[in-house]
Amino acid sequence: MSFDPIKTLTSRTVVLRQENIDTDQIIPARFLTTTVKDGLGKSAFYDWRYDEDGRPKNSSVFNGVNPATHKILVAGSNFGCGSSREHAPWALSDFGFRAVISSDIADIFKSNAQKNGFLPVEVDEETHKKLLASPGAEVTIDLENCEVTFGDGEKGSFPIEAFARRCLLDGVDPLGHLLNQAPEIEAYER
Amino acid sequence: MSELNSSPKSLFDKLWERHVVVEETADAPAVIYIDLHLIHEVTSPQAFSVLDGRGLKVRRPDKTFGTLDHSTPTLPANAKGELPYATPEAKIQVETLIKNCETHGIELLNLGDPRRGIVHVIGPELGLTQPGKTIVCGDSHTSTHGAFGALAFGIGTTEVGHVLATQCVLQRKPKSIRVNFDGALPDGVGAKDMALAMIAQIGADGGQGCAIEFAGEAVRNLSMDGRMTLCNMSIEAGARFGMVAPDQTTFEWLHGRDFAPKDLAWNEALADWMELKTDLGAGFDREVHVDAANIRPMITYGVSPDAAAPVDEMAPSPETDAEHHAADYMQFAAGKPFSDVAVNRVFIGSCTNSRLSDLREAAIVMRGRKVKAGVIALVVPGSEAVKRAAEAEKLHEVFLAAGAEWREPGCSMCIAMNGDSGNPGELVVSTSNRNFIGRQGKGVRTVLASPATAAASAIEGHIADPRPYLFARESA
């Protein structure tokens, strides 16, 4: 499996200030009765975007968000907590997002996102505050150099696990790497 | 004795070392071998599609077991034998797992199988879950199996594909935390209360990505059901693993189960399992102490599991933006007792609290009493085996006589994707694990609690302290 490689991403942000945005917010469980990965973008943040009768909410932060120009989510800490549903990064990707930046991204969500070419970026508190305070700002995520750059030239760095970074830069899922370990796996099984 | 063998190790270190196929390097995570892969209908279809698309086989169907739980109805089939699926897609999802298991030679606990149930209930129940094993499932509550001294964790669908194809996952060894529950639990307080008290103390991200070992007197004294409840909730503190060192309680519980080792193999396994404990002097990245002796029955009042407090307290005043947001949603009046909050539904079930002891606990409270008029109470056993055992004790008659519904096994209202859900605005006291906005249905307000607290709330029609019910029975 492969996806579009990410080296740098320059885009406007959509800011979700809340902490602990769980995967039930990202895609409610009633949309999980699918057997495919495609087409989940319409269900992304569904209950934030639509009211009980399915009409778009006037107050939704997603109103006017153009996926072509707003590819970066900025969220409060512990983004993606809760379930292991990979439908969460699938839905965000299908909606048009390519990355989320927070001070702290939940463990399983982060792992799932990285395997689908959706970039989870964990920045320091100061950078996070500045991002939260500037919705719609244009920022650049440079995965080669592990830096987030603001329009004013200010930069923040971010750590990312080396192997996940390599997979994102190359646009590959790690299955190939694991399949190459077959001799070692066979030896372990003996 | 070599240097390596003499340095004290934690339970986690030992479990990890036993399963390293390839050591981690600066460039790549470790390759970790998986002893047991549990699959269910929701998070596996896309993994099988990837496998089939690449022409790959399931490497170890003998180490893979499937069950149906998330999308399955908890109401029985109609006269024509048709199950009341929530949507046609749910039925297709179930049929897809049945087909995938057939194609790949995987044993499936299919609909009608007397062993079927919630994945984290059936694994232990069948003795598939054992000390020392690595166990994964495309489900975040896989940490439940850590109660047996297993290294158990939830994975995403891509990783489900990795395990199907290679029986391995890529992992970096995470940081470790030991959570010590000091002192003995007071009467009327249980594992669910311990879990909520811990999460309230360390936060919903307090264990982010870490391996937690639960230790201390209160943990040692827990039954296996209680240990499963505690480990189940590890993920609600963000942890990847939660575990308890196996002991006599564990061994007695496992002995004689379908897939547990037999005869000579049992003795060999036992000798090995005895090694699975943290050595004196082993280091942890962090030690947390929870005052178990002072835990009271706990409930949640917000929209994250760390917004938890003793049931006999008052709703706190919101301060941060997040707290205001949660308070607006939950509509708890600040400064008013939690017992003022009216209840519309009660759900007793889920991989957290649907085992026999959970149902017994609820039955103690409900026996001879009635669910408050207007309150809908659902009791959903975790497995067919739990259902049979409960019915053998006539617990179902207690629930039915009280006016509660007695359903077929499944995840039901915990994830509310099978048609079991609340209506907008309703307040549900639930023995499940997540109080997220909309988790139990659009606009539903969820209060997490133990089976006893949920049952007491069903009887009183508002959030209620279970202790008077529990103590009354004890002295009677």
Side-chain angles (χ1 to χ4, degrees):
Chain A
M1 199 179 69
S2 60
F3 42 79
D4 293 341
I6 296 187
K7 290 189 170 54
T8 62
L9 174 65
T10 299
S11 182
R12 295 194 179 281
T13 63
V14 175
V15 172
L16 315 173
R17 296 186 56 84
Q18 288 93 327
E19 294 166 7
N20 302 324
I21 293 175
D22 57 77
T23 54
D24 279 275
Q25 308 312 306
I26 300 171
I27 178 166
R30 62 183 184 277
F31 299 117
L32 304 187
T33 55
T34 173
T35 53
V36 297
K37 297 177 184 178
D38 309 322
L40 294 173
K42 60 182 183 298
S43 311
F45 282 104
Y46 190 91
D47 292 343
W48 291 33
R49 291 160 59 203
Y50 300 99
D51 69 15
E52 277 154 26
D53 301 318
R55 286 182 302 242
K57 286 183 182 174
N58 290 329
S59 59
S60 172
V61 67
F62 294 96
N63 288 345
V65 167
N66 178 355
T69 54
H70 293 69
K71 294 178 182 295
I72 300 174
L73 274 175
V74 172
S77 69
N78 201 25
F79 180 82
C81 61
S83 86
S84 64
R85 65 189 70 162
E86 202 159 313
H87 310 69
W90 293 337
L92 295 176
S93 295
D94 191 54
F95 186 90
F97 293 114
R98 288 297 318 265
V100 60
I101 311 178
S102 178
S103 55
D104 172 22
I105 298 173
D107 190 43
I108 306 178
F109 177 87
K110 183 162 61 182
S111 164
N112 285 339
Q114 287 166 342
K115 293 175 179 66
N116 287 277
F118 185 86
L119 180 57
V121 177
E122 291 174 303
V123 293
D124 59 80
E125 291 293 340
E126 197 182 329
T127 307
H128 190 223
K129 266 188 197 157
K130 182 163 171 167
L131 284 162
L132 286 175
S134 32
E138 188 170 277
V139 298
T140 296
I141 302 170
D142 176 351
L143 185 58
E144 294 271 18
N145 296 303
C146 298
E147 282 177 344
V148 175
T149 308
F150 291 89
D152 62 8
E154 200 177 312
K155 288 177 196 278
S157 63
F158 62 89
I160 181 166
E161 196 276 316
F163 186 78
R165 174 173 165 273
R166 178 46 52 198
C167 288
L168 285 161
L169 287 169
D170 293 347
V172 295
D173 164 68
L175 179 56
H177 173 81
L178 267 172
L179 289 168
N180 287 337
Q181 315 292 318
E184 286 79 8
I185 298 170
E186 273 163 34
Y188 181 91
E189 285 179 331
R190 279 196 294 271
Chain B
M1 195 183 271
S2 74
E3 174 86 321
L4 192 71
N5 287 336
S6 62
S7 62
K9 288 173 186 160
S10 68
L11 166 62
F12 174 55
D13 293 333
K14 293 177 186 180
L15 294 170
W16 182 269
E17 283 173 11
R18 287 178 173 208
H19 293 91
V20 173
V21 175
V22 180
E23 294 282 354
E24 71 177 76
T25 65
D27 293 332
V31 177
I32 297 291
Y33 195 80
I34 300 304
D35 297 319
L36 174 64
H37 186 196
L38 300 167
I39 57 174
H40 63 76
E41 70 273 29
V42 179
T43 56
S44 65
Q46 298 87 348
F48 280 107
S49 298
V50 168
L51 226 64
D52 294 344
R54 291 178 64 148
L56 295 167
K57 286 190 162 52
V58 174
R59 183 181 179 89
R60 296 299 299 263
D62 59 320
K63 291 179 184 286
T64 314
F65 284 83
T67 189
L68 295 161
D69 53 8
H70 283 66
S71 297
T72 55
T74 58
L75 287 167
N78 65 16
K80 285 190 260 174
E82 297 161 337
L83 284 167
Y85 284 100
T87 60
E89 290 75 24
K91 184 164 184 270
I92 290 169
Q93 203 170 47
V94 165
E95 289 166 352
T96 302
L97 183 60
I98 295 170
K99 182 183 123 305
N100 282 329
C101 286
E102 274 171 11
T103 305
H104 292 277
I106 295 166
E107 186 167 352
L108 172 69
L109 309 181
N110 205 338
L111 299 168
D113 191 310
R115 302 168 299 168
R116 189 189 67 85
I118 302 175
V119 63
H120 310 309
V121 176
I122 58 100
E125 205 167 69
L126 293 172
L128 288 165
T129 301
Q130 293 168 18
K133 277 191 178 181
T134 39
I135 302 172
V136 294
C137 175
D139 191 289
S140 59
H141 292 107
T142 308
S143 56
T144 310
H145 307 260
F148 292 79
L151 196 60
F153 55 109
I155 56 177
T157 297
T158 298
E159 284 180 309
V160 169
H162 294 172
V163 181
L164 289 173
T166 70
Q167 203 57 31
C168 289
V169 289
L170 291 164
Q171 287 274 310
R172 287 202 183 268
K173 192 176 179 189
K175 288 196 156 73
S176 61
I177 303 176
R178 178 159 55 190
V179 176
N180 305 277
F181 283 90
D182 301 326
L185 279 184
D187 289 341
V189 176
K192 183 62 161 290
D193 305 308
M194 290 167 72
L196 290 172
M198 173 199 71
I199 298 163
Q201 184 175 322
I202 71 173
D205 58 355
Q208 193 73 275
C210 290
I212 295 182
E213 179 177 348
F214 296 105
E217 182 186 347
V219 174
R220 282 288 131 230
N221 290 341
L222 284 178
S223 68
M224 287 317 299
D225 285 6
R227 293 179 192 184
M228 283 188 257
T229 300
L230 183 59
C231 288
N232 173 278
M233 297 284 286
S234 308
I235 180 71
E236 309 318 328
R240 192 179 305 167
F241 311 102
M243 66 196 79
V244 175
D247 59 14
Q248 206 53 40
T249 304
T250 321
F251 308 143
E252 280 170 18
W253 198 93
L254 274 173
H255 188 72
R257 292 189 183 263
D258 287 4
F259 288 90
K262 303 276 187 305
D263 308 320
L264 197 61
W266 171 262
N267 292 337
E268 283 171 13
L270 209 56
D272 179 48
W273 294 346
M274 302 257 202
E275 303 291 317
L276 296 174
K277 57 188 172 204
T278 291
D279 299 331
L280 205 64
F284 288 83
D285 293 294
R286 191 175 153 207
E287 296 266 4
V288 171
H289 288 269
V290 180
D291 181 6
N294 284 305
I295 296 176
R296 286 175 272 167
M298 299 287 289
I299 53 130
T300 61
Y301 55 85
V303 297
S304 172
D306 55 359
V311 68
D312 54 1
E313 292 281 339
M314 287 172 285
S317 297
E319 287 169 12
T320 65
D321 285 354
E323 286 165 2
H324 277 285
H325 179 65
D328 288 347
Y329 185 79
M330 292 303 292
Q331 297 171 38
F332 282 23
K336 297 281 187 191
F338 289 128
S339 59
D340 280 4
V341 176
V343 170
N344 302 105
R345 282 177 203 257
V346 167
F347 170 61
I348 296 169
S350 86
C351 60
T352 312
N353 281 124
S354 65
R355 299 179 181 82
L356 186 60
S357 61
D358 299 315
L359 304 186
R360 284 178 181 156
E361 183 181 311
I364 288 172
V365 175
M366 285 193 173
R367 188 178 298 276
R369 299 193 171 90
K370 291 279 182 200
V371 171
K372 188 80 170 181
V375 175
I376 297 169
L378 224 63
V379 185
V380 185
S383 68
E384 298 284 354
V386 169
K387 182 164 186 263
R388 280 192 304 277
E391 291 182 351
E393 294 182 14
K394 302 194 185 304
L395 299 184
H396 66 309
E397 291 179 6
V398 174
F399 299 130
L400 290 168
E405 294 180 43
W406 176 243
R407 293 287 188 95
E408 302 296 321
C411 300
S412 185
M413 272 189 78
C414 174
I415 188 163
M417 62 180 291
N418 75 330
D420 299 344
S421 65
N423 294 323
E426 285 186 341
L427 189 124
V428 181
V429 178
S430 176
T431 66
S432 56
N433 38 58
R434 292 188 172 134
N435 53 352
F436 300 155
I437 290 175
R439 169 85 178 179
Q440 298 191 293
K442 205 165 178 175
V444 171
R445 302 174 292 145
T446 298
V447 171
L448 302 177
S450 71
T453 303
S457 302
I459 300 299
E460 297 198 13
H462 55 79
I463 292 176
D465 189 332
R467 287 173 294 187
Y469 296 90
L470 298 170
F471 298 156
R473 293 297 181 192
E474 277 166 15
S475 60

